[in-house]
Amino acid sequence: MPAFTSGHCNVVVLLSGTGSNLQALIDSIAQAAPAYPARIRAVISNRADALGLQKARDAGIATAVLDHKAYVDREAFDQALAECIDNFGADLVVLAGFMRILSVTFVRHYEGRLLNIHPSLLPLYKGLHTHQRALEAGDREHGCSVHFVTEELDGGPLVVQAAIPIQADDDAQRLAARVHAREHQIYPLAVRWFAEGRLSLGAQGAILDGQYLGASGHLIRT
């Protein structure tokens, strides 16, 4: 186990919406408590109406709202956001549907301790509308990816991916639902790896158990 200041890994979650991945992480921690090596110290949103905030409150987790529209530019917002995160003593920052493009300064401040999940098998389909794009391309499989965040949008080193077959009757909504179910499995897994000291970011990519992961990270197929 790494020597976290508080004796366990303090996680701060950033979100803008419903918080389904937050709930998956809350449930994963609760199911393994007290052995789970991480705790969620706070949930922060740029939207006061984000449903994920209520999920956090229901679980007894501290919340904070920073309205990005109240700041003069992206850099000013990100500076305030970083100060808020650091006040909670974050060892790891988890992006869970946080609909903001982060500044270079912010990303560098949290280098090696900033994770994101994306609904595609990266490097395919960076950005939005990933499920429809996979269907339109005639892909045979689709999925989701957890990666370290770098300055390249959806381009950081991959940690773990979950791939599922695309079925003949899939539309974007059905495919999204099945991908979301896999997100809720692999994101808590990646967080646990980090909290256990098994996962880190090296010069050549993500490292798990002392070994560099390949271009696809740890790939799980179903």
Side-chain angles (χ1 to χ4, degrees):
M1 288 286 292
F4 295 117
T5 302
S6 61
H8 46 249
C9 180
N10 284 331
V11 178
V12 170
V13 178
L14 308 185
L15 55 77
S16 300
T18 61
S20 66
N21 274 303
L22 166 67
Q23 189 64 58
L25 185 55
I26 290 171
D27 293 343
S28 179
I29 292 172
Q31 289 165 9
Y36 199 95
R39 69 172 182 177
I40 304 174
R41 284 283 287 117
V43 173
I44 304 172
S45 180
N46 63 315
R47 295 177 55 96
D49 61 350
L51 297 179
L53 291 170
Q54 189 58 51
K55 290 182 170 68
R57 296 182 189 114
D58 290 344
I61 298 168
T63 63
V65 176
L66 279 75
D67 183 353
H68 60 275
K69 297 188 294 295
Y71 295 84
V72 295
D73 55 25
R74 186 185 311 279
E75 287 71 23
F77 172 76
D78 281 4
Q79 181 178 348
L81 179 60
E83 291 173 358
C84 185
I85 292 168
D86 291 346
N87 284 339
F88 286 107
D91 300 303
L92 176 66
V93 180
V94 170
L95 305 181
F98 189 59
M99 304 306 291
R100 296 281 301 168
I101 296 175
L102 299 168
S103 65
V104 170
T105 300
F106 183 94
V107 170
R108 288 178 179 172
H109 180 64
Y110 295 105
E111 183 179 7
R113 52 195 184 106
L114 181 60
L115 291 177
N116 184 44
I117 192 160
H118 184 74
S120 79
L121 295 175
L122 291 171
L124 294 175
Y125 313 125
K126 298 178 181 180
L128 303 175
H129 311 300
T130 61
H131 312 300
Q132 187 62 42
R133 289 158 68 190
L135 291 171
E136 291 174 354
D139 291 348
R140 299 180 63 181
E141 65 177 7
H142 188 43
C144 49
S145 309
V146 177
H147 65 94
F148 281 105
V149 177
T150 63
E151 298 166 29
E152 180 184 355
L153 180 65
D154 297 330
L158 291 166
V159 174
V160 56
Q161 296 187 305
I164 61 171
I166 294 179
Q167 299 173 355
D169 61 347
D170 270 334
D171 58 18
Q173 185 175 7
R174 282 193 292 269
L175 185 57
R178 290 168 46 231
V179 169
H180 286 159
R182 300 300 283 156
E183 290 181 22
H184 300 161
Q185 295 173 342
I186 67 170
Y187 216 178
L189 177 63
V191 170
R192 181 159 194 161
W193 285 344
F194 185 93
E196 291 173 339
R198 298 174 58 192
L199 174 66
S200 62
L201 179 62
Q204 299 176 33
I207 300 171
L208 180 63
D209 294 333
Q211 300 292 322
Y212 276 102
L213 295 168
S216 299
H218 180 82
L219 181 60
I220 300 171
R221 280 195 166 90
T222 57

